[in-house]
Amino acid sequence: MPTRREAPSSTKDAEYQRLVQLIEPARLPRHVAIIMDGNGRWARERGLPRVAGHRAGVEALRGVVRTAGELGVPVLTVYAFSTENWKRPRHEIDALMNLIVEYLRKYLDELCSNQVHIRVLGDLDPLPAPIRRQVDLALERTRDHRRMTLAVAWNYGGRADIVKAVRQLAREVAAGRVDPEAIDEACLGRHLDTAGLPDPDLLIRCSGELRISNFLLWELAYTELWFTPVYWPDFDRVHLAEAILEYQRRRRRFGGLEGPDPVVPC
Ligand code: IPE
Ligand code: IPE
Ligand code: MG
């Protein structure tokens, strides 16, 4: 279970610095994706309403974006609201919508000064107009930033994204613009919300749940998975550094073999 006792910040700094020394900058993941889970349980353990957990989660996000930028991770994708989260009570949905706007409003200047380019994955159309306006402003103001991409998955579902891509392709085929035989993985990938982003090298899921919950189903094909029992509001720079170090210890084979080219049998 996640511990409720906070390490003093000087101890945390020292631990973070120790881990950073161990990270190989040349082998950083190009894309880290995070399922920010456990806000409700974090709040319940403290006798607080679930919304307090979401609020604390926003501050955790701020810290993790900063750390990812400092470490030099080029792309960070965070799962903030799934297509299934509409099943939650109305007041919780409203609070989550307001919090994302609050995050963008409060930290947009900081994101801009850190040269963060914001992208959104998911369908923003059903969201209330003031929320869409704030998101559009953030997209517009950060459009030319190149240091790091922060992709926020908001009203996002991996299956919905694949269905949308297939529908677009079907329309193009019906209009005679695309030959069905020319549709390959790269072509489908260009129709997903993640078009242009590398597939995640590392997926982090907080809160002890061992599932993907409809996140980036296509893109996670060969992603390294890292699960932690830590609730998202407690997730900090030390956890991110630990996850990256563990990633650097993994041996990725992508279906092939490790080491030098295998001898071809004659
Ligand atoms: C993650 O925390 C935030 C969202 C899904 C929007 P939860 O709200 O799922 O927290 P738990 O899993 O109930 O603890
Ligand atoms: C996944 O968390 C979605 C987000 C973090 C936005 P959930 O809490 O919605 O997932 P389940 O219900 O535990 O699978
Ligand atoms: Mg959850």
Side-chain angles (χ1 to χ4, degrees):
M1 288 300 286
T3 168
R4 287 193 54 185
R5 193 166 299 145
E6 272 278 295
S9 109
S10 56
T11 315
K12 202 166 266 181
D13 280 345
E15 179 59 0
Y16 175 65
Q17 291 308 332
R18 187 184 73 80
L19 295 173
V20 167
Q21 298 303 314
L22 299 173
I23 291 175
E24 287 181 50
R27 294 180 52 240
L28 276 173
R30 286 168 310 158
H31 183 171
V32 175
I34 306 183
I35 301 178
M36 308 187 288
D37 196 21
N39 296 351
R41 280 162 284 172
W42 182 93
R44 195 180 56 210
E45 281 194 0
R46 287 160 178 76
L48 298 170
R50 292 178 58 83
V51 171
H54 297 315
R55 190 168 289 283
V58 168
E59 297 311 313
L61 176 60
R62 181 199 186 189
V64 166
V65 171
R66 281 206 319 220
T67 305
E70 276 163 29
L71 290 173
V73 172
V75 183
L76 178 69
T77 296
V78 292
Y79 203 10
F81 192 90
S82 75
T83 44
E84 287 71 40
N85 287 148
W86 294 104
K87 295 175 190 164
R88 297 189 178 201
R90 187 72 238 178
H91 70 272
E92 182 167 343
I93 294 172
D94 290 345
L96 284 162
M97 297 289 158
N98 290 331
L99 276 170
I100 185 81
V101 171
E102 194 178 308
Y103 170 77
L104 291 175
R105 201 175 283 144
K106 206 162 150 192
Y107 297 123
L108 191 54
D109 287 343
E110 180 174 296
L111 292 164
C112 286
S113 56
N114 290 329
Q115 285 287 304
V116 176
H117 170 78
I118 298 177
R119 268 180 76 151
V120 174
L121 314 179
D123 181 10
L124 293 186
D125 286 348
L127 304 191
I131 291 181
R132 285 207 313 272
R133 269 199 299 280
Q134 185 65 37
V135 173
D136 287 343
L137 177 74
L139 298 179
E140 175 59 31
R141 275 193 62 194
T142 67
R143 199 181 48 191
D144 299 325
H145 295 160
R146 290 289 168 266
R147 181 154 170 243
M148 177 185 167
T149 296
L150 171 65
V152 181
W154 187 246
N155 189 22
Y156 173 87
R159 287 185 172 184
D161 199 22
I162 293 169
V163 167
K164 187 196 69 195
V166 169
R167 204 178 280 144
Q168 276 174 13
L169 275 168
R171 273 195 222 106
E172 288 171 32
V173 168
R177 288 194 298 271
V178 169
D179 173 1
E181 298 313 314
I183 298 174
D184 57 11
E185 293 182 8
C187 171
L188 196 127
R190 283 194 296 276
H191 289 75
L192 296 172
D193 285 349
T194 48
L197 299 178
D199 285 343
D201 293 309
L202 171 63
L203 172 79
I204 296 170
R205 180 165 189 154
C206 303
S207 88
E209 306 299 351
L210 305 179
R211 56 178 169 266
I212 299 303
S213 301
N214 200 14
F215 192 36
L216 301 175
L217 297 182
W218 175 272
E219 298 84 346
L220 294 177
Y222 272 101
T223 300
E224 294 298 324
L225 310 180
W226 192 78
F227 296 98
T228 173
V230 172
Y231 295 145
W232 173 247
D234 287 330
F235 190 93
D236 63 22
R237 58 200 187 284
V238 170
H239 303 116
L240 182 62
E242 279 171 354
I244 291 175
L245 268 174
E246 167 63 22
Y247 162 79
Q248 293 192 334
R249 283 193 284 268
R250 303 268 177 96
R251 291 287 157 255
R252 304 181 79 186
R253 290 184 287 277
F254 299 96
L257 299 175
E258 261 183 272
D261 286 349
V263 177
V264 180
C266 42

